[in-house]
Amino acid sequence: MSSSVLTPSASEPHSTTTSTWLKRARPALWLIPFALFFYLFQLAPMIWVLINSFIYDDEFALDNYIEVLDSAFMMQAFGNSLWLAVWSSIIGLLIATVLVSSLRRVNSRIRDGVIAFTNMSSNFAGVPLSFAFIIILGTNGAITLLLKQYGLLGDFDLYGKWGLLAIYIYFQIPLAVLLLYPAFDALSDDWQAAASLLGARTSQYWAKVALPVLSPALLGTFIILVANAIGAYASVYALTSGNYNLITIRIASLVSGDLFLEPNLAAAISVILMLLLAFITVINQWLISKSYAGKSARK
C-alpha cells in the first residue's frame, strides 16, 4: 500500500502574499471615495481658479492681479472684509472665552442646555439670520424703536459697518464656544486653588497660568473665526442686497452679475484671498509652535 505525502502547492505562497497585500491595502482603499470627493470639490476648483486667474484676453498674463491691486475699490473691499473679520473674531473670542469659563462653574443641566442652544444657533445663519436682525434691529425694528424711545440709540445703522459687525459677532460666538469648550478641560480647578494659596489674584492666575495653557486653542480658534468671517456671504448679501463693499460680494458680482461677468478677475481675487488666509494660518502655526516650545522649556 503506497502512502502519498501532502506537499504545499506552488500557488499557496502567491495567495498568501496576495492576502497580506489586500489586508494592508484595505485601509487605503477605503480612502478612495474621500480622495475622489476631496479632488472634485476642493483640489479641482482650486486648480481651475489658479489657472484662470492668469488668463487675460485668452492669454497668460498678470493683468488680472495688476487690475485688482491697482483698484482702490477692490482694496477697499479687502479692507472692509479684514476689518469685520478681525474685530468680530476678537470680540466673539473674548465673549466665548468668558462664556465657556462660566459654563464650567454651573450646574450640568444648565451647561448641557447652553451647549445645545449653542449648537442650534451655530446653524442659524444666512438669510434667516439677516431677517431676524432686520425685525429686531432694523430701521423699524422692535428693539430699535424701544431704544430710540428712551434715547439710548443714536445713529445706529444695521445696514452699515456697525450693523454688519453686530451680525458677524453673533454668528462668531457659537462657533468659538464649540471650539473652545473642549480646550478648557485642560485647566484643573486645583491650579487656581494652588495659585490662590500662594497669594495670586484671579487676574494673575489667568495671566500666568490659564491663558498660557489655553493660548494654542485660542490662537487656533481665532484663525478659524477670521476665515469664517472673511468667507461670509449670504448674511451680508441678504441684509445689504450686495451694496456693501466686501470681497465676497465683489467675487459674486463678477461671477453672477447682471452687467459685467469677469470670472478670470474673480479668480484672481480668490487667489489673493487664499494667499492672505494662508499667510495668516502660517503666522498662527508659528505662534502656536512658539507657545508649545515655551511650555516645553518651562518644564
Side-chain angles (χ1 to χ4, degrees):
M1 181 176 180
S2 61
S3 60
S4 60
V5 179
L6 296 177
T7 58
S9 63
S11 62
E12 284 188 7
H14 176 71
S15 62
T16 303
T17 304
T18 304
S19 177
T20 304
W21 180 85
L22 285 175
K23 287 181 180 180
R24 293 179 178 177
R26 189 175 297 170
L29 293 175
W30 285 111
L31 289 176
I32 291 178
F34 170 76
L36 181 62
F37 183 86
F38 182 76
Y39 172 77
L40 291 176
F41 294 96
Q42 293 288 335
L43 292 181
M46 289 178 62
I47 294 172
W48 184 94
V49 166
L50 183 61
I51 293 174
N52 282 268
S53 67
F54 291 100
I55 297 178
Y56 187 86
D57 289 340
D58 297 328
E59 295 180 356
F60 270 83
L62 295 173
D63 293 59
N64 290 321
Y65 292 96
I66 295 173
E67 183 175 347
V68 172
L69 297 176
D70 285 344
S71 173
F73 189 60
M74 292 296 180
M75 291 297 101
Q76 183 190 48
F78 275 105
N80 289 340
S81 295
L82 283 173
W83 187 88
L84 285 171
V86 171
W87 280 110
S88 66
S89 299
I90 292 174
I91 298 173
L93 187 62
L94 289 175
I95 296 174
T97 302
V98 174
L99 176 59
V100 174
S101 177
S102 301
L103 283 177
R104 300 179 73 247
R105 308 292 181 184
V106 300
N107 182 275
S108 60
R109 185 172 298 178
I110 298 176
R111 182 168 59 249
D112 293 342
V114 173
I115 294 298
F117 174 77
T118 303
N119 275 306
M120 180 190 68
S121 58
S122 65
N123 295 308
F124 185 64
V127 177
L129 177 61
S130 299
F131 182 66
F133 265 79
I134 290 172
I135 293 175
I136 296 173
L137 290 172
T139 305
N140 294 312
I143 295 180
T144 302
L145 296 177
L146 182 64
L147 294 177
K148 284 185 176 180
Q149 181 180 353
Y150 292 98
L152 300 176
L153 190 65
D155 297 329
F156 176 78
D157 182 14
L158 178 64
Y159 312 102
K161 178 173 68 174
W162 298 107
L164 289 175
L165 181 62
I167 289 182
Y168 274 60
I169 292 172
Y170 178 86
F171 67 68
Q172 295 280 55
I173 293 174
L175 178 59
V177 169
L178 294 177
L179 292 173
L180 286 178
Y181 185 75
F184 270 74
D185 290 337
L187 295 180
S188 174
D189 293 336
D190 295 337
W191 295 353
Q192 187 167 6
S196 178
L197 288 174
L198 293 173
R201 297 187 299 272
T202 302
S203 59
Q204 291 176 320
Y205 162 76
W206 278 97
K208 301 293 185 179
V209 179
L211 288 180
V213 171
L214 294 172
S215 57
L218 293 173
L219 289 171
T221 302
F222 176 75
I223 293 302
I224 294 175
L225 294 180
V226 169
N228 181 54
I230 289 181
Y233 170 73
S235 300
V236 180
Y237 186 83
L239 189 67
T240 66
S241 300
N243 293 323
Y244 195 81
N245 191 21
L246 293 178
I247 200 61
T248 50
I249 299 295
R250 297 283 67 79
I251 292 174
S253 65
L254 291 171
V255 173
S256 59
D258 296 331
L259 298 177
F260 303 103
L261 295 178
E262 298 183 68
N264 295 332
L265 185 61
I269 298 173
S270 301
V271 171
I272 294 174
L273 187 58
M274 286 190 292
L275 292 175
L276 179 62
L277 290 175
F279 174 76
I280 295 174
T281 303
V282 169
I283 295 298
N284 171 68
Q285 292 300 319
W286 179 78
L287 291 174
I288 290 177
S289 65
K290 296 291 286 186
S291 174
Y292 280 125
K295 290 178 186 177
S296 301
R298 287 194 296 270
K299 290 180 181 179

